[in-house]
Amino acid sequence: MVTAIVIPILILYFYWVTKKEKAKQRQNWEMLDQVRLEARIYGTITYLHTEKKRYYHELYMMVTTIRMQSGDRTITAVYRQPFKQGWKEFNLHPGSIVTLEGQWEKDTFIAGSIKKS
């Protein structure tokens, strides 16, 4: 008798928790490319690589890794975007001069906007 009551309650509870977690992850995924623009770097791209990565279950993100020469130092920057149907790749190539705006996270620059100069 107890199992006839407890098991459906547990199933409903875990369904509710899972649905809530999925909504939270979707909201975070949609805001991937919204980074606080508190720093700006300028330089020439020496390496550019874009790859598709899994973010959460059926949600994917495109991660663009940029190495750029700025003065006498090399900076590694990462630009993350949610992978949606209308996603377009940047028209950037090694040798392009760009300005990146975003924030520092340890030794990596997290870009929020990329402007070609």
Side-chain angles (χ1 to χ4, degrees), residues 31-68:
M31 297 177 61
L32 265 177
D33 56 352
Q34 297 177 6
V35 177
R36 287 185 291 147
L37 306 177
E38 55 189 36
R40 181 179 297 151
I41 58 174
Y42 176 81
T44 305
I45 295 176
T46 57
Y47 172 80
L48 182 72
H49 178 71
T50 302
E51 65 180 325
K52 182 178 175 182
K53 290 187 176 181
R54 182 182 301 271
Y55 182 76
Y56 180 80
H57 292 287
E58 76 278 356
L59 302 176
Y60 290 90
M61 65 179 175
M62 296 304 284
V63 179
T64 303
T65 305
I66 302 169
R67 266 192 227 119
M68 58 189 293

CSV table of all heavy atoms in Angstrom, one decimal, residues 31-68:
chain,number,residue,atom,x,y,z
A,31,MET,N,22.5,32.6,-22.7
A,31,MET,CA,23.3,33.8,-22.3
A,31,MET,C,24.8,33.5,-22.4
A,31,MET,O,25.5,34.3,-21.9
A,31,MET,CB,22.9,34.2,-20.9
A,31,MET,CG,21.4,34.6,-20.8
A,31,MET,SD,20.9,34.9,-19.1
A,31,MET,CE,22.0,36.3,-18.7
A,32,LEU,N,25.2,32.5,-23.2
A,32,LEU,CA,26.6,32.2,-23.3
A,32,LEU,C,27.5,33.4,-23.8
A,32,LEU,O,28.6,33.6,-23.4
A,32,LEU,CB,26.8,31.0,-24.2
A,32,LEU,CG,26.9,29.6,-23.5
A,32,LEU,CD1,27.1,28.6,-24.6
A,32,LEU,CD2,28.1,29.6,-22.6
A,33,ASP,N,26.9,34.0,-24.9
A,33,ASP,CA,27.7,35.1,-25.5
A,33,ASP,C,27.6,36.4,-24.9
A,33,ASP,O,28.1,37.4,-25.3
A,33,ASP,CB,27.4,35.2,-27.0
A,33,ASP,CG,25.9,35.4,-27.2
A,33,ASP,OD1,25.1,35.3,-26.3
A,33,ASP,OD2,25.5,35.6,-28.4
A,34,GLN,N,26.9,36.5,-23.7
A,34,GLN,CA,26.7,37.8,-23.0
A,34,GLN,C,27.7,37.8,-21.9
A,34,GLN,O,27.6,37.3,-20.8
A,34,GLN,CB,25.3,37.9,-22.5
A,34,GLN,CG,24.3,38.0,-23.6
A,34,GLN,CD,22.9,38.1,-23.0
A,34,GLN,OE1,22.7,38.2,-21.8
A,34,GLN,NE2,21.9,38.0,-23.9
A,35,VAL,N,28.8,38.5,-22.2
A,35,VAL,CA,30.0,38.6,-21.3
A,35,VAL,C,30.1,40.1,-20.9
A,35,VAL,O,29.9,41.0,-21.7
A,35,VAL,CB,31.3,38.1,-21.9
A,35,VAL,CG1,32.5,38.3,-21.0
A,35,VAL,CG2,31.1,36.7,-22.4
A,36,ARG,N,30.5,40.3,-19.6
A,36,ARG,CA,30.7,41.7,-19.2
A,36,ARG,C,31.9,42.3,-20.0
A,36,ARG,O,33.0,41.7,-20.1
A,36,ARG,CB,31.0,41.8,-17.7
A,36,ARG,CG,29.8,41.6,-16.9
A,36,ARG,CD,30.1,41.8,-15.4
A,36,ARG,NE,31.0,40.7,-15.0
A,36,ARG,CZ,31.9,40.8,-14.1
A,36,ARG,NH1,32.1,41.9,-13.4
A,36,ARG,NH2,32.6,39.7,-13.7
A,37,LEU,N,31.7,43.4,-20.6
A,37,LEU,CA,32.7,44.1,-21.5
A,37,LEU,C,33.5,45.0,-20.6
A,37,LEU,O,33.3,46.2,-20.6
A,37,LEU,CB,32.1,44.8,-22.7
A,37,LEU,CG,31.1,43.9,-23.5
A,37,LEU,CD1,30.5,44.7,-24.6
A,37,LEU,CD2,31.9,42.7,-24.1
A,38,GLU,N,34.5,44.5,-19.9
A,38,GLU,CA,35.2,45.3,-18.9
A,38,GLU,C,36.7,45.5,-19.4
A,38,GLU,O,37.4,46.3,-18.7
A,38,GLU,CB,35.2,44.8,-17.5
A,38,GLU,CG,35.6,43.3,-17.4
A,38,GLU,CD,35.3,42.7,-16.1
A,38,GLU,OE1,34.3,43.1,-15.5
A,38,GLU,OE2,36.2,41.9,-15.6
A,39,ALA,N,37.1,44.9,-20.4
A,39,ALA,CA,38.5,45.0,-20.9
A,39,ALA,C,38.5,44.9,-22.5
A,39,ALA,O,37.6,44.4,-23.1
A,39,ALA,CB,39.4,43.9,-20.4
A,40,ARG,N,39.5,45.5,-23.1
A,40,ARG,CA,39.6,45.5,-24.5
A,40,ARG,C,41.1,45.2,-24.9
A,40,ARG,O,42.0,45.8,-24.3
A,40,ARG,CB,39.3,46.9,-25.0
A,40,ARG,CG,39.3,47.0,-26.5
A,40,ARG,CD,38.9,48.4,-27.0
A,40,ARG,NE,37.5,48.6,-26.6
A,40,ARG,CZ,37.0,49.8,-26.4
A,40,ARG,NH1,37.8,50.9,-26.5
A,40,ARG,NH2,35.8,50.0,-26.1
A,41,ILE,N,41.2,44.3,-25.9
A,41,ILE,CA,42.6,44.0,-26.4
A,41,ILE,C,42.5,44.1,-27.9
A,41,ILE,O,41.5,44.0,-28.5
A,41,ILE,CB,43.0,42.6,-25.9
A,41,ILE,CG1,42.0,41.5,-26.4
A,41,ILE,CG2,43.2,42.5,-24.4
A,41,ILE,CD1,42.5,40.1,-26.2
A,42,TYR,N,43.7,44.4,-28.4
A,42,TYR,CA,43.9,44.7,-29.8
A,42,TYR,C,45.1,44.0,-30.3
A,42,TYR,O,46.1,44.0,-29.7
A,42,TYR,CB,44.0,46.2,-30.0
A,42,TYR,CG,44.3,46.7,-31.4
A,42,TYR,CD1,43.3,46.8,-32.3
A,42,TYR,CD2,45.6,47.0,-31.8
A,42,TYR,CE1,43.5,47.3,-33.6
A,42,TYR,CE2,45.8,47.4,-33.1
A,42,TYR,CZ,44.8,47.6,-34.0
A,42,TYR,OH,45.0,48.0,-35.3
A,43,GLY,N,45.0,43.3,-31.5
A,43,GLY,CA,46.1,42.6,-32.0
A,43,GLY,C,45.8,41.9,-33.3
A,43,GLY,O,44.8,42.0,-33.9
A,44,THR,N,46.8,41.1,-33.7
A,44,THR,CA,46.8,40.3,-35.0
A,44,THR,C,46.6,38.9,-34.7
A,44,THR,O,47.3,38.3,-33.8
A,44,THR,CB,48.1,40.5,-35.8
A,44,THR,OG1,48.3,41.9,-35.9
A,44,THR,CG2,48.0,39.8,-37.1
A,45,ILE,N,45.6,38.2,-35.3
A,45,ILE,CA,45.3,36.8,-35.1
A,45,ILE,C,46.4,36.0,-35.7
A,45,ILE,O,46.8,36.1,-36.8
A,45,ILE,CB,44.0,36.4,-35.8
A,45,ILE,CG1,42.8,37.2,-35.1
A,45,ILE,CG2,43.8,34.9,-35.7
A,45,ILE,CD1,41.5,37.0,-35.8
A,46,THR,N,47.0,35.0,-34.8
A,46,THR,CA,48.0,34.1,-35.3
A,46,THR,C,47.4,32.7,-35.4
A,46,THR,O,48.0,31.9,-36.2
A,46,THR,CB,49.2,34.1,-34.3
A,46,THR,OG1,48.7,33.7,-33.0
A,46,THR,CG2,49.9,35.4,-34.3
A,47,TYR,N,46.3,32.4,-34.7
A,47,TYR,CA,45.7,31.1,-34.7
A,47,TYR,C,44.2,31.2,-34.5
A,47,TYR,O,43.8,32.0,-33.6
A,47,TYR,CB,46.3,30.2,-33.6
A,47,TYR,CG,45.7,28.9,-33.4
A,47,TYR,CD1,45.9,27.8,-34.2
A,47,TYR,CD2,44.8,28.7,-32.4
A,47,TYR,CE1,45.3,26.6,-34.1
A,47,TYR,CE2,44.2,27.5,-32.2
A,47,TYR,CZ,44.4,26.4,-33.0
A,47,TYR,OH,43.8,25.2,-32.8
A,48,LEU,N,43.4,30.5,-35.2
A,48,LEU,CA,42.0,30.6,-35.1
A,48,LEU,C,41.4,29.2,-35.3
A,48,LEU,O,41.7,28.5,-36.2
A,48,LEU,CB,41.4,31.5,-36.2
A,48,LEU,CG,39.9,31.7,-36.2
A,48,LEU,CD1,39.5,32.6,-35.0
A,48,LEU,CD2,39.5,32.4,-37.5
A,49,HIS,N,40.6,28.7,-34.3
A,49,HIS,CA,40.0,27.4,-34.4
A,49,HIS,C,38.6,27.4,-33.8
A,49,HIS,O,38.4,27.9,-32.7
A,49,HIS,CB,40.8,26.4,-33.6
A,49,HIS,CG,40.3,25.0,-33.6
A,49,HIS,ND1,40.2,24.2,-34.7
A,49,HIS,CD2,39.7,24.3,-32.6
A,49,HIS,CE1,39.7,23.1,-34.4
A,49,HIS,NE2,39.3,23.1,-33.2
A,50,THR,N,37.6,26.9,-34.5
A,50,THR,CA,36.2,26.9,-34.0
A,50,THR,C,35.8,25.4,-34.0
A,50,THR,O,36.0,24.7,-34.9
A,50,THR,CB,35.3,27.6,-35.0
A,50,THR,OG1,35.7,29.0,-35.1
A,50,THR,CG2,33.9,27.6,-34.5
A,51,GLU,N,35.2,25.0,-32.8
A,51,GLU,CA,34.7,23.7,-32.7
A,51,GLU,C,33.3,23.7,-32.0
A,51,GLU,O,33.0,24.5,-31.2
A,51,GLU,CB,35.7,22.8,-32.0
A,51,GLU,CG,36.0,23.2,-30.5
A,51,GLU,CD,37.0,22.2,-29.9
A,51,GLU,OE1,37.0,21.0,-30.2
A,51,GLU,OE2,37.7,22.7,-29.1
A,52,LYS,N,32.6,22.6,-32.2
A,52,LYS,CA,31.3,22.4,-31.6
A,52,LYS,C,31.4,21.5,-30.4
A,52,LYS,O,32.0,20.5,-30.5
A,52,LYS,CB,30.3,21.8,-32.7
A,52,LYS,CG,28.9,21.5,-32.2
A,52,LYS,CD,28.1,20.9,-33.3
A,52,LYS,CE,26.8,20.5,-32.9
A,52,LYS,NZ,26.0,19.9,-34.0
A,53,LYS,N,30.9,22.0,-29.3
A,53,LYS,CA,31.0,21.2,-28.0
A,53,LYS,C,29.6,21.1,-27.4
A,53,LYS,O,28.8,21.9,-27.5
A,53,LYS,CB,31.9,21.9,-27.0
A,53,LYS,CG,33.4,21.9,-27.4
A,53,LYS,CD,34.2,22.4,-26.3
A,53,LYS,CE,35.7,22.3,-26.6
A,53,LYS,NZ,36.5,22.9,-25.5
A,54,ARG,N,29.4,20.0,-26.7
A,54,ARG,CA,28.2,19.7,-26.0
A,54,ARG,C,28.1,20.6,-24.7
A,54,ARG,O,29.1,20.6,-24.0
A,54,ARG,CB,28.0,18.3,-25.6
A,54,ARG,CG,26.7,18.0,-24.9
A,54,ARG,CD,26.6,16.5,-24.5
A,54,ARG,NE,26.7,15.6,-25.6
A,54,ARG,CZ,25.7,15.2,-26.3
A,54,ARG,NH1,24.5,15.6,-26.1
A,54,ARG,NH2,25.9,14.3,-27.3
A,55,TYR,N,27.0,21.3,-24.5
A,55,TYR,CA,26.9,22.1,-23.3
A,55,TYR,C,26.0,21.4,-22.3
A,55,TYR,O,26.4,21.3,-21.2
A,55,TYR,CB,26.2,23.5,-23.7
A,55,TYR,CG,26.0,24.4,-22.5
A,55,TYR,CD1,27.1,25.1,-22.0
A,55,TYR,CD2,24.8,24.5,-21.9
A,55,TYR,CE1,26.9,25.9,-21.0
A,55,TYR,CE2,24.6,25.4,-20.9
A,55,TYR,CZ,25.7,26.1,-20.4
A,55,TYR,OH,25.6,26.9,-19.3
A,56,TYR,N,24.9,20.9,-22.7
A,56,TYR,CA,24.0,20.2,-21.8
A,56,TYR,C,23.0,19.3,-22.6
A,56,TYR,O,22.2,19.9,-23.4
A,56,TYR,CB,23.2,21.2,-20.9
A,56,TYR,CG,22.3,20.5,-19.9
A,56,TYR,CD1,22.8,20.0,-18.7
A,56,TYR,CD2,20.9,20.5,-20.1
A,56,TYR,CE1,21.9,19.4,-17.8
A,56,TYR,CE2,20.1,19.9,-19.2
A,56,TYR,CZ,20.6,19.4,-18.0
A,56,TYR,OH,19.7,18.8,-17.1
A,57,HIS,N,23.0,18.0,-22.5
A,57,HIS,CA,22.2,17.1,-23.2
A,57,HIS,C,22.1,17.5,-24.7
A,57,HIS,O,23.1,17.3,-25.4
A,57,HIS,CB,20.8,17.0,-22.6
A,57,HIS,CG,20.8,16.4,-21.2
A,57,HIS,ND1,21.0,15.0,-21.0
A,57,HIS,CD2,20.7,16.9,-20.0
A,57,HIS,CE1,21.0,14.7,-19.8
A,57,HIS,NE2,20.8,15.8,-19.1
A,58,GLU,N,21.0,18.0,-25.2
A,58,GLU,CA,20.8,18.3,-26.6
A,58,GLU,C,21.3,19.7,-27.0
A,58,GLU,O,21.2,20.1,-28.1
A,58,GLU,CB,19.4,18.1,-27.1
A,58,GLU,CG,18.4,19.2,-26.7
A,58,GLU,CD,17.9,19.1,-25.2
A,58,GLU,OE1,18.2,18.1,-24.5
A,58,GLU,OE2,17.1,19.9,-24.8
A,59,LEU,N,21.8,20.5,-26.0
A,59,LEU,CA,22.3,21.8,-26.3
A,59,LEU,C,23.8,21.8,-26.6
A,59,LEU,O,24.6,21.3,-25.9
A,59,LEU,CB,22.0,22.8,-25.1
A,59,LEU,CG,20.6,22.8,-24.6
A,59,LEU,CD1,20.5,23.7,-23.4
A,59,LEU,CD2,19.7,23.4,-25.7
A,60,TYR,N,24.1,22.5,-27.7
A,60,TYR,CA,25.5,22.6,-28.1
A,60,TYR,C,26.0,24.1,-28.1
A,60,TYR,O,25.2,25.0,-28.2
A,60,TYR,CB,25.7,22.0,-29.5
A,60,TYR,CG,25.6,20.5,-29.5
A,60,TYR,CD1,24.3,19.9,-29.7
A,60,TYR,CD2,26.6,19.7,-29.3
A,60,TYR,CE1,24.2,18.5,-29.7
A,60,TYR,CE2,26.5,18.3,-29.3
A,60,TYR,CZ,25.3,17.7,-29.5
A,60,TYR,OH,25.1,16.4,-29.5
A,61,MET,N,27.3,24.2,-28.1
A,61,MET,CA,27.9,25.6,-28.2
A,61,MET,C,29.1,25.5,-29.2
A,61,MET,O,29.7,24.5,-29.3
A,61,MET,CB,28.3,26.1,-26.8
A,61,MET,CG,29.4,25.4,-26.2
A,61,MET,SD,29.9,26.1,-24.6
A,61,MET,CE,31.1,25.0,-24.0
A,62,MET,N,29.3,26.7,-29.8
A,62,MET,CA,30.4,26.8,-30.7
A,62,MET,C,31.5,27.6,-29.9
A,62,MET,O,31.2,28.7,-29.4
A,62,MET,CB,30.1,27.5,-31.9
A,62,MET,CG,29.1,26.8,-32.8
A,62,MET,SD,29.6,25.1,-33.2
A,62,MET,CE,30.7,25.5,-34.5
A,63,VAL,N,32.7,27.0,-29.8
A,63,VAL,CA,33.8,27.6,-29.1
A,63,VAL,C,34.9,28.0,-30.1
A,63,VAL,O,35.4,27.2,-30.8
A,63,VAL,CB,34.4,26.7,-28.0
A,63,VAL,CG1,35.5,27.3,-27.3
A,63,VAL,CG2,33.3,26.3,-27.0
A,64,THR,N,35.2,29.3,-30.2
A,64,THR,CA,36.2,29.8,-31.1
A,64,THR,C,37.4,30.2,-30.2
A,64,THR,O,37.3,31.1,-29.3
A,64,THR,CB,35.7,31.0,-31.8
A,64,THR,OG1,34.5,30.7,-32.6
A,64,THR,CG2,36.8,31.5,-32.8
A,65,THR,N,38.5,29.6,-30.5
A,65,THR,CA,39.8,29.9,-29.8
A,65,THR,C,40.6,30.7,-30.7
A,65,THR,O,40.9,30.4,-31.8
A,65,THR,CB,40.5,28.6,-29.4
A,65,THR,OG1,39.6,27.7,-28.6
A,65,THR,CG2,41.7,28.9,-28.6
A,66,ILE,N,41.1,31.9,-30.1
A,66,ILE,CA,41.9,32.8,-30.9
A,66,ILE,C,43.2,33.0,-30.2
A,66,ILE,O,43.1,33.4,-29.0
A,66,ILE,CB,41.1,34.1,-31.1
A,66,ILE,CG1,39.8,33.9,-31.8
A,66,ILE,CG2,42.0,35.2,-31.8
A,66,ILE,CD1,38.9,35.1,-31.7
A,67,ARG,N,44.3,32.9,-30.8
A,67,ARG,CA,45.6,33.3,-30.3
A,67,ARG,C,46.0,34.6,-31.1
A,67,ARG,O,45.9,34.5,-32.3
A,67,ARG,CB,46.6,32.2,-30.4
A,67,ARG,CG,46.7,31.4,-29.2
A,67,ARG,CD,47.9,30.5,-29.1
A,67,ARG,NE,47.4,29.2,-28.7
A,67,ARG,CZ,47.5,28.1,-29.5
A,67,ARG,NH1,48.1,28.1,-30.6
A,67,ARG,NH2,47.0,27.0,-29.0
A,68,MET,N,46.3,35.6,-30.4
A,68,MET,CA,46.6,36.9,-31.1
A,68,MET,C,47.9,37.5,-30.5
A,68,MET,O,48.2,37.3,-29.3
A,68,MET,CB,45.5,37.8,-31.1
A,68,MET,CG,45.0,38.2,-29.7
A,68,MET,SD,43.5,39.2,-29.7
A,68,MET,CE,43.9,40.6,-30.5
